[in-house]
Amino acid sequence: MMFGSGVPTVEVGALAADDFLLDVREADEWEAGHAEAALHIPMSEFTARFGELTEKAPDAGRIHVICRSGGRSAQVTAYLTQQGMDAVNVGGGMQAWEAAGRPVVASGGGPGAVI
């Protein structure tokens, strides 16, 4: 599936438990609730913190980019693919993640919510 003008997109149901997930939402959204194993780099800080992604992303693996609903993550996915990286947007974002019954945790470790 493609988002907008050619951004590769996958649905939450296609994600495996061990897929690499990059959450680009802002700090307050992350603190309220996120996927436990996700790497958090807010879109507003993304270019400054790009090195963190290259250090932690799997060498030959795909980067699944997620935000609240799919718009910001589509922009980051487009940037990553332009850099030659294997990246896909997670369609529907954390709203779809939560609706699919996937676990959402708060920063303190307890149950979280998508805001």
Side-chain angles (χ1 to χ4, degrees):
M1 176 182 280
M2 301 297 256
F3 180 93
S5 59
V7 175
T9 302
V10 297
E11 299 305 317
V12 168
L15 296 175
D18 62 346
D19 282 339
F20 184 82
L21 192 63
L22 170 65
D23 190 324
V24 298
R25 296 175 303 142
E26 295 304 314
D28 61 330
E29 295 171 288
W30 169 266
E31 290 169 8
H34 57 272
E36 189 169 19
L39 171 64
H40 180 230
I41 303 177
M43 184 176 166
S44 62
E45 302 172 14
F46 189 75
T47 54
R49 295 177 56 190
F50 183 72
E52 290 178 45
L53 174 62
T54 59
E55 288 175 13
K56 295 182 179 174
D59 290 332
R62 174 168 282 172
I63 300 166
H64 299 83
V65 188
I66 197 165
C67 66
R68 182 174 184 266
S69 62
R72 289 173 284 178
S73 54
Q75 293 176 54
V76 172
T77 299
Y79 174 80
L80 292 174
T81 58
Q82 289 169 358
Q83 305 308 307
M85 300 177 85
D86 183 6
V88 293
N89 182 39
V90 178
M94 285 300 296
Q95 290 177 324
W97 179 277
E98 185 175 49
R102 300 267 180 133
V104 177
V105 297
S107 286
V114 176
I115 61 168

